[in-house]
């Protein structure tokens, strides 16, 4: 895919002014070329994860379902593969597997760049932007005034809204923007909005530096501050970002709890960016929790700024994250595009002994693009190893069940590059070692250390291990998403060998060991 060369000849100021006028209606990132045989085949291009056709992408925004369509908006800079003046890119799906690229939804304007936010279906037309027969989609987002930031002001982030009456195809900004001004908080952003049935009001969660704030509204235009949370809770190694607040029933009990997601950068357990969660209660005004420990949605280095869909018909809670880390996001070795999203995952609350945990696991319909190639039981004697060969582990799913608590999986390619996954029962830990996995020298933090995940509560009997590997990523799920790690990889050749090693003193069994080839969604 290519962008008109004329755009690159314009100065940054002219580009920004053109964007502010919002005249362009076509996304240069979705122009078709005559080279369809090269579409989405660049080095490291994901084949079953969403990525933009070209240029820079980060946080998922405005996840909403309406009239049979799943919308994915995202932070997007259409002129370069590094971060720049933020727009909202847009894609849609009927099944959360295959995606259609759409024109840019929101452009910067005189109020600033368009940072992260959310979209709701205003079914009762409380905003007056549509009708009850044809309710509008309303986007709530952060304006980032770069001139105010450069001038040293602390009120350069405010909240604005826009609306669509054609199911997200076109958008109009509200003339009364911003709808929530800033009283002087440097990091004041990322509004997530939902309809609260009990109070019959819209609730908005945003972050204010080191804590979350909650607001309410009857019409999405006038907002009232209610409460705050988190100054003395959770991890505080960096700025809080991208909050999400929602209810979930604890599986098998009928008990309802509220979950608050908070992304933080830096301060994640394996360095840089990560997402923590809190389980508690929300009474329409205040979120509270008795949780003492810090809990992480994903222990890998590359799942950040994730949020969930609004308006899912069966009330499932579906999550998508940005598969990168601010430590090295602008340095990864791709040429005309940068970044991908995680596969969509279903969130649920489950009891693990005396503790309730948040589980995240791929949606069932991912199976529609998987074709089984290897399926058998594997027995590995004590101190021995078993080797499997497959032509492209980098576009596959690997899954099995095992009672083993000590296990090493090594993916290797023809260049002797390797990715090593280790389950260590003595340490009650799982590790992901990408130090020798391929290209790592583009940034010192990327391949500098082994990533660790505590696994203190494995089942006594069989545990499920599931691995999704795309051309430049791995997503690991243990026990249906009880333990999760996501990481980027940049091998110089596809992994074609999987070595299964047994370091224990007894033989181990890997039952229903299955390798499936993943179809490209593009």
């Amino acid at each position: 895919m290519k962008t008109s060369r004329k755009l690159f000849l314009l100065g940054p100021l002219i580009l920004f002014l053109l964007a502010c006028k919002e005249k362009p209606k076509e996304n240069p990132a979705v122009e078709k070329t005559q080279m369809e045989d090269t579409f989405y085949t660049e080095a490291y291009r994901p084949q079953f994860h969403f990525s933009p056709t070209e240029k820079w992408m980060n946080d998922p925004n405005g996840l909403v379902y309406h009239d049979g369509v799943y919308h994915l908006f995202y932070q997007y800079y259409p002129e370069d593969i590094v971060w720049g003046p933020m727009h909202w890119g847009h894609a849609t799906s009927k099944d959360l597997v295959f995606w259609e690229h759409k024109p840019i939804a929101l452009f910067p304007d005189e109020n600033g760049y368009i940072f992260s936010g959310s979209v709701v279906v205003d079914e009762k037309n409380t905003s007056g932007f549509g009708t009850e027969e044809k309710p509008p989609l309303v986007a709530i987002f952060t304006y980032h005034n770069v001139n105010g930031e450069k001038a040293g002001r602390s009120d350069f982030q405010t909240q604005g809204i826009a609306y669509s009456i054609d199911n997200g195809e076109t958008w109009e900004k509200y003339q009364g923007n911003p709808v929530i001004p800033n009283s002087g908080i440097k990091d004041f952003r990322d509004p997530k909005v939902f309809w609260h049935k009990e109070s019959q009001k819209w609730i908005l969660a945003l972050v204010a530096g080191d804590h979350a704030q909650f607001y309410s509204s009857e019409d999405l235009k006038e907002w009232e501050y209610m409460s705050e949370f988190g100054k003395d809770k959770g991890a505080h190694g960096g700025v809080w970002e991208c909050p999400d607040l929602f209810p979930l029933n604890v599986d098998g009990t009928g008990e309802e709890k509220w979950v608050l997601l908070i992304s933080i950068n830096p301060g994640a357990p394996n360095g840089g960016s990560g997402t923590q969660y809190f389980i508690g209660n929300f009474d329409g005004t205040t979120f509270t929790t008795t949780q003492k420990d810090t809990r992480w949605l994903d222990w890998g280095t590359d799942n950040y700024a994730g949020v969930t869909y609004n308006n899912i018909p069966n009330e499932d809670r579906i999550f998508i994250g940005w598969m990168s880390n601010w430590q090295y996001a602008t340095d990864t070795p791709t040429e005309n595009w940068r970044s991908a999203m995680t596969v969509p995952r279903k969130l649920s609350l489950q009891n693990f002994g005396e503790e309730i945990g948040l589980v995240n696991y791929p949606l069932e319909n991912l199976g529609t693009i998987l074709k089984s190639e290897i399926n058998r039981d594997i027995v590995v004697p004590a101190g021995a190893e078993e080797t499997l060969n497959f032509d492209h582990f980098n576009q596959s799913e690997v899954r099995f069940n095992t009672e083993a608590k000590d296990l090493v999986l090594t993916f290797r390619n023809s260049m002797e590059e390797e990715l090593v996954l280790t389950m260590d029962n003595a340490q009650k830990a799982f590790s992901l070692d990408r130090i020798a996995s391929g290209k790592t020298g583009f940034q010192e933090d990327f391949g500098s250390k082994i990533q660790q995940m505590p696994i203190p509560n494995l089942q006594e009997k069989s545990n499920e291990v599931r691995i999704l590997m795309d051309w430049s990523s791995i997503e690991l799920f243990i026990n249906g998403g009880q333990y999760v790690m996501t990481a980027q990889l940049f091998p110089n050749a596809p992994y074609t060998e999987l070595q299964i090693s047994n370091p224990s003193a007894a033989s181990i069994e890997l039952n229903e060991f299955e390798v499936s080839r993943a179809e490209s969604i593009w």
Side-chain angles (χ1 to χ4, degrees), residues 156-413:
F156 54 84
Q157 292 185 342
T158 58
Q159 317 312 314
I161 60 176
Y163 62 94
S164 172
I165 56 175
D166 56 9
N167 199 17
E169 293 294 318
T170 60
W171 291 84
E172 294 290 335
K173 302 248 184 63
Y174 176 51
Q175 293 300 309
N177 281 338
V179 294
I180 302 180
N182 188 335
S183 61
I185 302 172
K186 182 180 178 182
D187 297 296
F188 183 69
R189 57 177 182 256
D190 309 338
K192 180 64 189 288
V193 175
F194 64 94
W195 179 254
H196 187 244
K197 295 178 182 178
E198 290 74 13
S199 64
Q200 289 292 292
K201 289 184 179 181
W202 296 102
I203 303 298
L204 179 150
L206 56 72
V207 285
D210 63 349
H211 65 283
Q213 293 184 349
F214 303 102
Y215 295 75
S216 66
S217 174
E218 296 182 353
D219 62 3
L220 294 166
K221 294 180 285 192
E222 296 186 6
W223 292 90
E224 178 182 354
Y225 171 82
M226 296 192 302
S227 64
E228 65 178 38
F229 169 84
K231 287 183 177 180
D232 60 347
K233 301 288 186 182
H236 285 276
V239 175
W240 279 24
E241 297 187 301
C242 301
D244 195 357
L245 178 66
F246 50 85
L248 280 176
N249 288 328
V250 181
D251 283 2
T253 69
E255 179 186 13
E256 182 182 84
K257 290 289 186 180
W258 284 78
V259 177
L260 176 65
L261 302 182
I262 295 289
S263 289
I264 182 172
N265 178 62
N270 281 294
S273 313
T275 301
Q276 59 184 318
Y277 71 88
F278 302 89
I279 298 174
N281 295 290
F282 179 69
D283 62 6
T285 300
T286 305
F287 176 80
T288 56
T289 182
T290 58
Q291 181 177 310
K292 303 297 183 183
D293 56 330
T294 300
R295 303 183 188 179
W296 300 98
L297 180 84
D298 190 313
W299 286 82
T301 51
D302 293 295
N303 183 355
Y304 189 62
V307 288
T308 64
Y309 269 88
N310 282 330
N311 205 46
I312 297 295
N314 58 6
E315 297 188 353
D316 279 350
R317 189 55 58 172
I318 298 173
F319 168 98
I320 294 178
W322 175 44
M323 202 151 51
S324 196
N325 190 308
W326 281 115
Q327 284 187 320
Y328 43 74
T330 60
D331 302 312
T332 52
T334 58
E335 293 185 357
N336 73 319
W337 61 276
R338 187 161 274 148
S339 297
M341 298 299 183
T342 67
V343 293
R345 305 175 183 181
K346 180 179 177 180
L347 303 186
S348 60
L349 291 177
Q350 296 184 16
N351 276 308
F352 299 103
E354 297 181 356
E355 182 179 279
I356 299 173
L358 182 65
V359 166
N360 65 110
Y361 198 65
L363 302 182
E364 289 184 6
N365 55 359
L366 183 65
T368 61
I369 64 167
L370 298 175
K371 179 183 178 181
S372 180
E373 300 274 350
I374 300 172
N375 193 337
R376 63 186 178 91
D377 294 339
I378 294 176
V379 177
V380 185
E385 59 192 35
E386 174 89 5
T387 299
L388 295 176
N389 295 298
F390 184 68
D391 63 352
H392 206 326
F393 278 110
N394 292 80
Q395 194 174 330
S396 72
E397 176 196 67
V398 177
R399 62 192 306 174
F400 58 88
N401 296 289
T402 185
E403 294 184 11
K405 304 298 189 295
D406 289 289
L407 178 67
V408 181
L409 303 176
T410 303
F411 292 91
R412 191 176 289 114
N413 63 18

Side-chain angles (χ1 to χ4, degrees), residues 66-231:
H66 185 52
D67 284 349
V69 176
Y70 295 92
H71 293 270
L72 166 62
F73 301 92
Y74 52 89
Q75 292 286 277
Y76 185 57
Y77 182 42
E79 300 305 327
D80 206 341
I81 60 169
V82 295
W83 189 95
M86 284 291 98
H87 302 55
W88 269 24
H90 185 201
T92 59
S93 176
K94 295 295 183 65
D95 59 3
L96 289 171
V97 177
F98 294 90
W99 294 93
E100 178 184 353
H101 296 286
K102 309 293 285 186
I104 291 173
L106 297 175
F107 293 77
D109 61 31
E110 65 277 4
N111 288 313
Y113 302 164
I114 310 297
F115 273 20
S116 292
S118 53
V119 171
V120 297
V121 181
D122 187 9
E123 293 183 348
K124 298 182 179 181
N125 193 35
T126 62
S127 63
F129 293 142
T131 65
E132 289 198 34
E133 293 74 26
K134 194 172 184 179
L137 297 182
V138 180
I140 305 93
F141 52 86
T142 295
Y143 272 122
H144 181 90
N145 187 319
V146 68
N147 291 327
E149 180 184 24
K150 290 179 179 178
R153 291 164 50 185
S154 59
D155 61 352
F156 54 84
Q157 292 185 342
T158 58
Q159 317 312 314
I161 60 176
Y163 62 94
S164 172
I165 56 175
D166 56 9
N167 199 17
E169 293 294 318
T170 60
W171 291 84
E172 294 290 335
K173 302 248 184 63
Y174 176 51
Q175 293 300 309
N177 281 338
V179 294
I180 302 180
N182 188 335
S183 61
I185 302 172
K186 182 180 178 182
D187 297 296
F188 183 69
R189 57 177 182 256
D190 309 338
K192 180 64 189 288
V193 175
F194 64 94
W195 179 254
H196 187 244
K197 295 178 182 178
E198 290 74 13
S199 64
Q200 289 292 292
K201 289 184 179 181
W202 296 102
I203 303 298
L204 179 150
L206 56 72
V207 285
D210 63 349
H211 65 283
Q213 293 184 349
F214 303 102
Y215 295 75
S216 66
S217 174
E218 296 182 353
D219 62 3
L220 294 166
K221 294 180 285 192
E222 296 186 6
W223 292 90
E224 178 182 354
Y225 171 82
M226 296 192 302
S227 64
E228 65 178 38
F229 169 84
K231 287 183 177 180

Side-chain angles (χ1 to χ4, degrees), residues 420-432:
V420 184
L421 309 176
T422 303
M423 184 182 291
D424 186 331
N425 187 47
Q427 299 296 321
K428 301 295 182 184
F430 194 100
S431 66
L432 187 156

